[in-house]
Amino acid sequence: MLGFTIRRLAQAVPVIFCAISLLFFLFYVLPGDPVTILSGGTGRNVPEVTRQNIEQKYGFDKSIPEQFATYWGNVATGDLGDSLRDDQPVWDKVKQFAPNSIRLAFWALVLEAFFGIGIGMVSAVKRYSVIDTVTTLLSTIAMAIPVFVSGYLIIYVFGITAFQRGWPEWIRFPTGRTPENWAFFFFPADEESFRRLVPPAVALALIQIAVVARMTRTTMLETINTDYVRTARAKGLTERSVVFKHGLRNALIPVVTLIGLDFGTLIGSAVLTETVFSYNGLGSQIVRAAQFRDAPVVLGLTLVVVIAYLVVNLIVDLSYGVLDPRIRYDD
């Protein structure tokens, strides 16, 4: 397993290089002049002296290959550069916003795995029943609702109506601010922070819960009809043992793959969720930086997303050997 892990880490290097390099050159294809944006001009009324000073300060006076080489040389030494908007080091922005996005994605992933797998398993075991019909209908509806719609519905129902009508405290959730107090990296330190985390996590996970539920149902139906499951029943094992030990465990490999791929997606694509809930994370910051052609911030934050995506996928690959004993990573 050690050899496999080292090989996967080595393969991650060219992936990171290609992804960030492609994004780097994309900045020179998109319309808009960063010098004009930084100077606050319209492109025609920027004094030549101002333009030259800005180009010299940020290295825009160099050729594209020279800027490319300089950027990767700095990254190799741990320097992601400074923001073009406020001169704040990109590392400071990473430290400020990356933990928020990772926490949000983590809890969305927990909800996705717990409810998605649970609903899908029950739907498969009770196939063609009323429960199966209801869960299938709800899953289809959940997949069809955009995240910004479900987000505003959650805010209106549980963040506004629940307080106005005096609903029980356990279904009232304050919204509109990023949780600030954390006991550990992933765990809120107090009830208030936990309540502020729940709404955006639910909104972010809702569609993926439905997708995982449908995937789990499909794989479970395939698994429970196999010969080894029928043999387990014939041996007199309890239905719980048959479902969990022989059915669910062998049906989880494609589901775990889907959940693992979702983690990186949840970190980088939570723009709408972060915007709706005023949640300060990587997604919203990348969009804001892209609007101002703030290349160092976009590249630095995207680098964090790519690395997180690759690390989670490595963990997913290693988990296959735990779920299926037939899979071995021989060194």
Side-chain angles (χ1 to χ4, degrees), residues 6 61 87 105 121 150 153 156 173-174 180 235 284 322 331:
I6 294 175
D61 55 336
D87 287 329
M121 183 181 63
S150 60
L153 286 175
Y156 179 76
F173 295 93
E180 298 176 354
K235 291 168 60 178
S284 58
V322 178
D331 293 338

Side-chain angles (χ1 to χ4, degrees), residues 280-299:
N280 292 319
L282 291 176
S284 58
Q285 295 303 315
I286 290 174
V287 171
R288 292 172 189 171
Q291 291 173 343
F292 287 91
R293 298 295 299 274
D294 196 345
V297 174
V298 174
L299 295 172

Side-chain angles (χ1 to χ4, degrees), residues 2 12 47 60 63-64 72 93 101 114 137 159 171 188 200 216 224 246-247 250 264 284 314:
L2 179 60
F60 296 144
S63 65
I64 295 178
W72 277 113
K93 293 183 178 293
S101 289
F114 181 79
L137 178 62
I171 56 175
T216 304
I224 60 180
H246 297 275
N250 290 279
S284 58
L314 174 60

Side-chain angles (χ1 to χ4, degrees), residues 223-236:
T223 303
I224 60 180
N225 290 322
T226 56
D227 292 337
Y228 61 82
V229 172
R230 286 193 290 267
T231 301
R233 284 197 176 99
K235 291 168 60 178

Side-chain angles (χ1 to χ4, degrees), residues 201-241:
V202 171
L204 184 60
L206 194 58
I207 294 178
Q208 294 308 122
I209 288 175
V211 174
V212 171
R214 303 304 301 157
M215 173 70 77
T216 304
R217 181 184 184 275
T218 301
T219 56
M220 277 291 294
L221 288 177
E222 294 176 355
T223 303
I224 60 180
N225 290 322
T226 56
D227 292 337
Y228 61 82
V229 172
R230 286 193 290 267
T231 301
R233 284 197 176 99
K235 291 168 60 178
L237 297 179
T238 63
E239 188 65 18
R240 174 176 293 185
S241 178

